[in-house]
Amino acid sequence: MTCLHLLLTLVFAVSLGTPVEIQRPRGVPLTKKQFYEESKPFTCLDGSRTIPFDRVNDDYCDCKDGSDEPGTAACPNGSFHCTNAGYRPMFIPSSRINDGICDCCDTTDEYNSGAKCENTCKELGRKEREVLQKMAEITKEGFLLKQQLIEEAKKGQQEKQSKVTDMQENKKQLDEKVEALRTVKETAEQPEKEAKERHLKAWEEQKAAIRLEKDKAKMAETFLELDDNADGFVSVSELQSHAELDPDADGTLTEIEAQGLMGGAEQVDTSTFESVWPKIKDKYHSEVSREEADISCLEPAPVETPPDEVKEPVVDNDSEPYPEDDISEEEDEDDEDEDDYHEDDDKVSAQPTIKTPEKTHEDEEAMPPYDADTQALIDAAQKARDDFEEAEKALREMDDQIRYIYRLCPFNRVSQKPKYGGSETNLGTWGSWSGPENNKYLLMKYEQGTGCWQGPNRSTTVKLTCGKETVVTSTSEPSRCEYLMEFTTPAVCQEPANIDPSPHDHVEL
């Protein structure tokens, strides 16, 4: 076999349409043509040996890498290059050469097998170009869409940046407003505080004066009770009748102990009694109250009273009925006290009594209302506080919109994450529908979120409103750790009422 028989003439169509013949051994790609020059000995591509060129494609494998037999099946590790003009070039294992199956679309792998192969490269190339053309069109459209998305993203970013800039400017104005209202609040609270302190001081002085008068009255009443012989003096023996004044709590008030309470005197008049009174007033028991206590221990026989009979207090014919104010609160509130009333108690009711005071203890006394000037200062301070709190709340909500990203996963949870790095905070997991009775599906309640510092667990109420898009429109924190989220969605839109007039409706004049 001569080298002339081993050469394959390849014709390529260039852009000018002029055929160009490039000669090289069968199965050699154009990129390796320089290694296969007929005028020179052939060196194996792995450099292992050099052989005469006429041993290339002689159907005997001389090179270990099989490079001397690119167009035959002699080397088991060889490969054959399909030129496939008009389609894609490709390599096939050399074992497929002349095996009766056309692997190359230009049929060059079956040059000596007798297989009837047709050159399908042109048709394959046409189909591939159509696919590539469609892919190119898709790529072009995709690229245009990509450019559109980029422009939309840039526009959205600019809008967001503009919104953030506006929010920051609004935040700055809110900061200034909050500080101004803080000054107004503090300015209004100072005269309010002073007016309240004056009012409280006056009330304390008034209560002290009232207590002093009551104490003097009680002291005078006690002096009269102790002065059994009404001689204008309280003697040691008269004081001894009150064993509860015993200083050593042995149950007996001795003469020496009584003299000690009276400052060593045998008897004291009303003026001297003023020095004795502070020593005994906390222990002294009124004689009348003791008699009432003894009477209350009696157990009178029960008297059945007809249910229709109305009980009235027994009074003398010449006296007026007891006024309502003389009935103690305990008698008004305790029905059992009414059941204990009997006509046999006339003698008791005839004795002098001391009316039970109506909660006159200093801790139970109600402070009188503020005067008009003080109330005006309080109202002004409260308005300043309300204005300040409202502005501070708006500032806090604005700050949250700038600093945080809120996420709503319906029927799962609500979360908050800082825009500039940081961990996510759980604002509540799905709890229940909590809307009004006529439509409970207007509010979603998310509960048991991350706990606040020294406060409750965070929770979120999601208010659903009708809208064309599904999007969270706003998020706020009306109360500490309690969030409110506005969520628009077509899912809650109701069918509109038919308000179109009927074509048959008309008015006859």
Side-chain angles (χ1 to χ4, degrees), residues 44 59 122 149 151 220 334 371 373 463 491:
C44 300
D59 208 20
K122 184 176 180 181
L149 290 174
E151 291 301 318
D334 192 351
D371 60 80
D373 293 340
K463 181 180 179 182

Side-chain angles (χ1 to χ4, degrees), residues 7-8 12 29 58 101 115 119 141 154 158 167 256 262 281-282 358 373 403 419 433 447 459-460 491:
L7 295 178
L8 172 68
F12 290 87
D58 65 349
I101 300 174
N119 190 327
E141 293 177 3
K154 287 182 179 178
Q158 290 173 354
M167 291 171 64
I256 297 176
M262 297 176 66
K281 65 180 180 179
D282 292 335
E358 297 183 357
D373 293 340
R403 294 171 52 197
K419 288 184 178 179
W433 294 102
E447 304 168 315
S459 63
T460 302

Side-chain angles (χ1 to χ4, degrees), residues 218-250:
K218 182 66 175 176
M219 179 181 67
E221 181 182 352
T222 302
F223 184 87
L224 292 177
E225 288 182 358
L226 290 174
D227 186 10
D228 292 332
N229 57 9
D231 63 350
F233 292 92
V234 173
S235 64
V236 170
S237 60
E238 290 172 332
L239 193 64
Q240 284 183 275
S241 63
H242 287 264
E244 73 272 12
L245 302 178
D246 177 23
D248 58 9
D250 62 357

Side-chain angles (χ1 to χ4, degrees), residues 418-438:
K419 288 184 178 179
Y420 309 107
S423 59
E424 191 174 73
T425 301
N426 182 6
L427 301 185
T429 55
W430 167 247
S432 62
W433 294 102
S434 58
E437 291 184 0
N438 60 337

